[in-house]
Each structure stands twice: as structure tokens, then as C-alpha cells.
Amino acid sequence: MIPTNEFIKQKFIVFNTQFFDGKLPMLPFRATKARSYLAQIACKKERSLLRGTRFFDFRFRFSTVFDLTETELEDIILHEMIHYHILYNNIHDTSAHGKIFRSMMNDINRRYNRHIRVSYKLSNDNIQSDKRVRCHLVCISHFADGRCGITVASRSRIFQLWENIPKIKGVAYCEWFFSRDTYFNRYPRSLTPRIYIVKEEDFSTHIADALPLEKSGDTIRPRTKVISHKN
């Protein structure tokens, strides 16, 4: 299922009563199209010499990109509510998922037969469920040892990546393409040179209809589309 504001809010109210004694204040819920997280507690942080660190202006963000089961979504909501409890009460933990977080997570899992985890790795089915048509600036890196890799560039960093990806050790040459194929939705928009190693047969059909890109000075041209480089 794809989460909605109503679903997230309803579960928050139920879980707040069941697991947190109803002490977590209600907060805004915001649906996003993020691919880098499933859900997160966002807040502002203020440091003071007298009061120390204070967290405030909490928001609950959740992605509507991936199709998950109701049980998975519930456990993800609980994961974020543990973060909210720790931050709201200004409890010092050893790390983001430190001793206190893990103690609360393990206690809820044991007592209520939940399956909250420290991290959530999307399954291949989850990744492939993202079928939105998007524009992708794709770099195919060919290594000297025969391997291939994919980088989907952030539009704002394409010039830097165009220059720096070929400098990565082992890269023999690079090809750039403009594509709307949903296959490339699974890759995050890179801000830094990062190559995901992939078998050529896995992506070759998806790149077949892509437009090759070329760079001339401060302009990158995918045939009929021009991207101007602005410093």
C-alpha cells in the first residue's frame, strides 16, 4: 500500500497511546516523493550555553514512492516515533541508533511481536514499484577490467560529475545519455562521483532508446535538448 496522511496520522495516534503513554505531541505530517528515505522525523536544532541543545519544530515526513505492506509501514512509523521520543525529551543517546534507541526498539519488538529494525533495505519489488516517468541524466562507466557501472546525475552537478567520474580508478571511458526509462528510477540522483556496478545485460535494453549526450564547452546537448551551464 502507498501511505497517506490519514493512515500515518491514525497509526501515530494509536501507537502514541499504546507505546508512548500518549505523551508525544501531535505534529504535522507531510507526504513527499523522496527516494532516499521511507520516513523521517525532521526538526530544528538550537544550541545554547545555558540550556544546551534543544530540538523543536518537529515534522513527520514520509515517502509515497514505494509500495509497502501495512505491517512494514507500521514498523517504520514506530521506528520514527522512537526517534521522536528521544529527540523531544532531549535524551542523550550514544548515536542515532544507539543504546537507548535499540533498547526501546527491542522492548517493543519483544513485548508486542513487532519487527522494527535499525535500518530498512528496500526489496527489489519495492524498488521496481516506482514507475513514475522522470528525466534522467545517465552516465555509463566502462572499466578496464570489463565491468560496467551506472551513475544517475543530479542536474545541478552534471558538469562536475562529467569531469570527475572518468578520474575514478579503473574507469576506461564514459558514455552519457538522456533517458525517461523508469528502470533508472532505482538509482539515487548523485551529487558526488559514485558508480553502481551493474551487469551490462541488465541495463542494455533500457539504454537502447536513450539519447546520447555530448558536451561542448559549457553546454551539454541531448540532440534536441540543451542544458546551459550557469555558474
Side-chain angles (χ1 to χ4, degrees):
M1 65 178 293
I2 303 297
T4 63
N5 267 54
E6 291 74 19
F7 175 84
I8 300 293
K9 182 177 180 179
Q10 178 189 32
K11 293 298 181 180
F12 180 92
I13 293 171
V14 172
F15 293 156
N16 192 21
T17 300
Q18 185 176 3
F19 302 111
F20 300 93
D21 297 325
K23 294 181 179 180
L24 293 178
M26 185 60 68
L27 73 175
F29 300 93
R30 180 188 173 193
T32 75
K33 295 295 184 181
R35 300 188 72 256
S36 57
Y37 62 83
L38 297 171
Q40 66 174 206
I41 292 293
C43 65
K44 295 179 181 178
K45 182 168 65 174
E46 180 182 70
R47 288 190 176 93
S48 169
L49 291 176
L50 296 178
R51 295 186 299 176
T53 301
R54 180 176 73 96
F55 299 94
F56 63 102
D57 193 18
F58 291 93
R59 287 100 57 207
F60 194 118
R61 298 172 178 165
F62 61 95
S63 176
T64 59
V65 170
F66 304 106
D67 190 0
L68 303 171
T69 68
E70 183 171 346
T71 299
E72 287 174 325
L73 286 170
E74 289 177 344
D75 288 339
I76 290 167
I77 293 168
L78 282 168
H79 176 113
E80 297 307 320
M81 291 180 74
I82 295 174
H83 280 307
Y84 185 25
H85 169 83
I86 292 172
L87 292 170
Y88 177 75
N89 290 288
N90 205 21
I91 299 171
H92 177 72
D93 204 351
T94 54
S95 65
H97 298 103
K99 292 181 179 179
I100 294 174
F101 180 95
R102 291 171 184 264
S103 176
M104 293 183 65
M105 176 187 74
N106 292 333
D107 182 61
I108 293 174
N109 284 342
R110 182 179 62 254
R111 293 173 60 191
Y112 299 96
N113 194 30
R114 303 299 317 189
H115 299 89
I116 310 167
R117 304 198 301 271
V118 168
S119 63
Y120 290 85
K121 184 177 181 180
L122 291 168
S123 69
N124 192 50
D125 288 342
N126 293 145
I127 294 171
Q128 293 183 6
S129 68
D130 183 3
K131 298 299 184 183
R132 292 174 298 157
V133 176
R134 307 166 70 197
C135 296
H136 302 289
L137 299 167
V138 181
C139 176
I140 305 296
S141 298
H142 298 267
F143 287 79
D145 60 9
R147 293 177 300 155
C148 293
I150 291 175
T151 304
V152 176
S154 168
R155 184 186 179 93
S156 64
R157 299 296 178 87
I158 185 172
F159 288 91
Q160 294 93 323
L161 295 175
W162 194 296
E163 178 181 354
N164 292 323
I165 290 177
K167 297 177 182 178
I168 294 176
K169 184 177 179 181
V171 173
Y173 68 97
C174 297
E175 298 177 285
W176 283 85
F177 299 89
F178 173 80
S179 174
R180 290 189 175 91
D181 194 305
T182 58
Y183 168 83
F184 297 105
N185 289 1
R186 68 192 64 193
Y187 298 100
R189 301 291 176 94
S190 292
L191 297 173
T192 58
R194 183 175 183 180
I195 300 174
Y196 295 87
I197 303 300
V198 185
K199 294 180 181 179
E200 186 170 1
E201 57 266 29
D202 291 342
F203 70 81
S204 57
T205 57
H206 299 285
I207 210 72
D209 295 328
L211 296 177
L213 296 174
E214 63 179 5
K215 181 175 175 289
S216 177
D218 289 341
T219 299
I220 294 173
R221 302 177 183 273
R223 293 185 184 173
T224 59
K225 187 179 180 69
V226 176
I227 303 173
S228 296
H229 180 198
K230 296 181 179 179
N231 293 319

